[in-house]
Amino acid sequence: MQQSVFDLMQQMGHEQLVFCHDPYSGLNAIIAIHNTTLGPALGGTRLWNYNSHEEGVIDALRLSRGMTYKAAISDLNLGGGKAVIIGDANKIKSEGLWRRYGKFVDSLNGKYITAEDVNTSARDMEYISLETEHVTGVPEYMGGSGDPSPFTAYGVFVGMKASAKKVWGNDSLAGKKVLVQGVGHVGQYLVGHLIEAGAKVMISDINETRIKETTDKFKVEVINNSDIFAKEFDVYAPCALGATVNTESISKMKCPIIAGAANNQLAEERVHGPMLIEKGILYAPDFLINAGGLINVSAELDGYNHERVMGNVEKIYNRTLEIFNLSEKENVHTQAAAMMLAEKRLADIANVKSRL
Ligand code: NAD
């Protein structure tokens, strides 16, 4: 890591970073709390085989910051946090690891509330819930809201429709070619919505099982993962990992819209946001359109109501159009426009809280 961790925390505005280690279960986790102005920091726990702990720290810092913006722009009274566990998901998962991790979450006394993320499931949340009440996304049979992915996928779908409306003047995706990169939890639900809407869906994934699951259910074209941007399509939906929108990929992209579920899609906001405008590609900000899962799990905290959750996820459509308009009005890229709106709410509430 070239900069010290405190420099990074200062640059990105973090409040707290917690390192958790348990030699018995092999747990190495990092909990990042970005901002608690709006409420407790809620964000999932990602299990990933990072090449180094520095990579894990940077991911936790970037992801938790995104959660602050996601909650703020979605009108949720939650702060931004995220955790990463470093390790191979096929090897380290155990009841002991999850319960030990639950104890670490509990030690923060509700300042951080965890949930699912890449490689973590409702079942894992169930183990965590044995040690702390500060967990969401537990299975439905335990009174939780279960897997947040269908809600995330639906939010991405409505965000994509809003993008279509902006670009083509009509929000129909019928006949449009959409590439879904990553057909995991969210990607597969998104494919379902797209097929139902009459889109022509192309998929790519590095995991053959996920591809088979998808082709067994839907009529889609599978494309080779190595050079996806050589293909022609109308919408690129990144639903795997972050930073896939970078200098190299943008130079090859021919699609007019990017709208997907992955967090931190732009490798560098300040560089790649403007680059997309220059290239005439409309980017639906990730933390805005992938907020459906957060909206869903957050509803567990104040009495879950499915209809209210769906109504709040639907609001992503109008908010996406609002952001596109703000981006034009302020002459900034769409991610910057979304950040402006989120920062305005954070500043307003900080002001409210600072006064008697
Ligand atoms: P997942 O792990 O179930 O699915 C990710 C899929 O991407 C897997 O099938 C994996 O094999 C594939 N993949 C990984 N690297 C790839 C590559 N280079 N090319 C093609 N495919 C690749 O995760 P998920 O829950 O579906 O989440 C997908 C993305 O959306 C993640 O970035 C996650 O942070 C984000 N997200 C998820 C939720 C949610 O509710 N699950 C909410 C908000 C954001």
Side-chain angles (χ1 to χ4, degrees), residues 319-332:
R319 205 168 284 133
T320 305
L321 288 173
E322 188 189 339
I323 290 301
F324 292 153
N325 292 339
L326 184 66
S327 141
E328 280 175 357
K329 186 169 153 247
E330 299 291 332
N331 200 19
V332 292

Side-chain angles (χ1 to χ4, degrees), residues 34 38 42-44 46 62-82 116-117 152 156 260-264 285-295 297-298 316 319 335 338-339 342-343 345-346:
H34 179 254
L38 299 176
L42 195 155
R46 175 169 296 194
R62 276 169 59 95
L63 290 165
S64 56
R65 175 173 171 264
M67 294 308 291
T68 298
Y69 284 108
K70 195 182 299 196
I73 206 159
S74 306
D75 284 340
L76 299 173
N77 292 315
L78 290 170
K82 200 90 177 184
E116 292 154 291
D117 195 69
T152 304
V156 170
N263 287 307
N264 299 325
D286 47 13
F287 65 81
L288 166 64
I289 72 164
N290 74 10
L294 179 64
I295 293 168
V297 292
S298 72
I316 290 174
R319 205 168 284 133
Q335 183 89 346
M339 289 170 77
E343 279 164 8
R345 180 161 181 249
L346 284 164

Side-chain angles (χ1 to χ4, degrees), residues 46 48 63 70 82 116-119 147-153 181-188 204-207 210 225 238-242 244 260-263 290-294:
R46 175 169 296 194
W48 195 254
L63 290 165
K70 195 182 299 196
K82 200 90 177 184
E116 292 154 291
D117 195 69
V118 175
N119 283 328
D147 179 10
S149 310
F151 300 89
T152 304
Q181 182 188 34
V183 280
H185 289 101
V186 180
Q188 287 189 28
S204 84
D205 201 297
I206 51 171
N207 182 328
R210 293 283 169 87
N225 214 30
C239 295
L241 295 179
T244 59
N263 287 307
N290 74 10
L294 179 64

